[in-house]
């Protein structure tokens, strides 16, 4: 049975730890193959980042605990891909 393969998370975090360190720590989780972290909003005390995580049989609760242990909060789970392979989104007429 195949599990979660990709997660896209909207996360609010303090400036520290840095985005470099947060991405590195997430990438070191046993089931994570890669992490993409993009900063899309910043204010005096916090940063909003989009985190894309890929891997096999990912443990969402462990990812959540890791982010929270570093002071972050998951605002939303924007995308979940599960199954034996990653299925890419395609634009339909309704999306244009």
């Amino acid at each position: 049975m195949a599990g979660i393969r990709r997660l896209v998370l909207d996360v609010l975090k303090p400036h520290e730890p840095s985005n470099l360190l947060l991405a590195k720590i997430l990438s070191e989780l046993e089931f994570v193959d890669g992490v993409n972290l993009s900063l899309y909003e910043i204010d005096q005390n916090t940063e909003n980042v989009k985190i894309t995580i890929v891997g096999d049989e990912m443990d969402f609760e462990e990812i959540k605990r890791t982010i929270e242990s570093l002071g972050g909060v998951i605002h939303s789970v924007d995308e979940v891909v599960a199954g034996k392979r990653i299925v890419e989104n395609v634009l339909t007429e309704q999306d244009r």
Side-chain angles (χ1 to χ4, degrees):
M1 182 170 156
I4 297 172
R5 303 283 310 258
R6 178 170 60 204
L7 287 171
V8 179
L9 307 172
D10 177 2
V11 174
L12 178 69
K13 65 173 278 303
H15 295 300
E16 293 298 326
S18 70
N19 293 335
L20 294 169
L21 183 58
L22 175 57
K24 181 179 184 305
I25 289 169
L26 288 170
S27 73
E28 291 172 347
L29 294 174
E30 179 180 334
F31 47 81
V32 172
D33 291 334
V35 174
N36 180 328
L37 189 150
S38 300
L39 174 68
Y40 66 90
E41 190 174 1
I42 188 169
D43 69 21
Q44 188 172 1
N45 299 311
T46 60
E47 301 172 347
N48 279 87
V49 295
K50 179 173 91 171
I51 303 173
T52 302
I53 304 170
V54 294
D56 290 321
E57 303 293 330
M58 287 193 286
D59 181 341
F60 175 76
E61 291 303 320
E62 186 171 346
I63 292 168
K64 182 180 175 187
R65 277 192 301 276
T66 301
I67 291 169
E68 289 175 349
S69 74
L70 297 168
V73 176
I74 297 174
H75 275 180
S76 62
V77 177
D78 294 346
E79 181 180 45
V80 177
V81 177
K84 294 178 184 174
R85 62 187 173 118
I86 292 178
V87 178
E88 298 300 331
N89 288 327
V90 295
L91 290 178
T92 64
E93 289 300 318
Q94 294 87 347
D95 297 323
R96 298 171 203 238

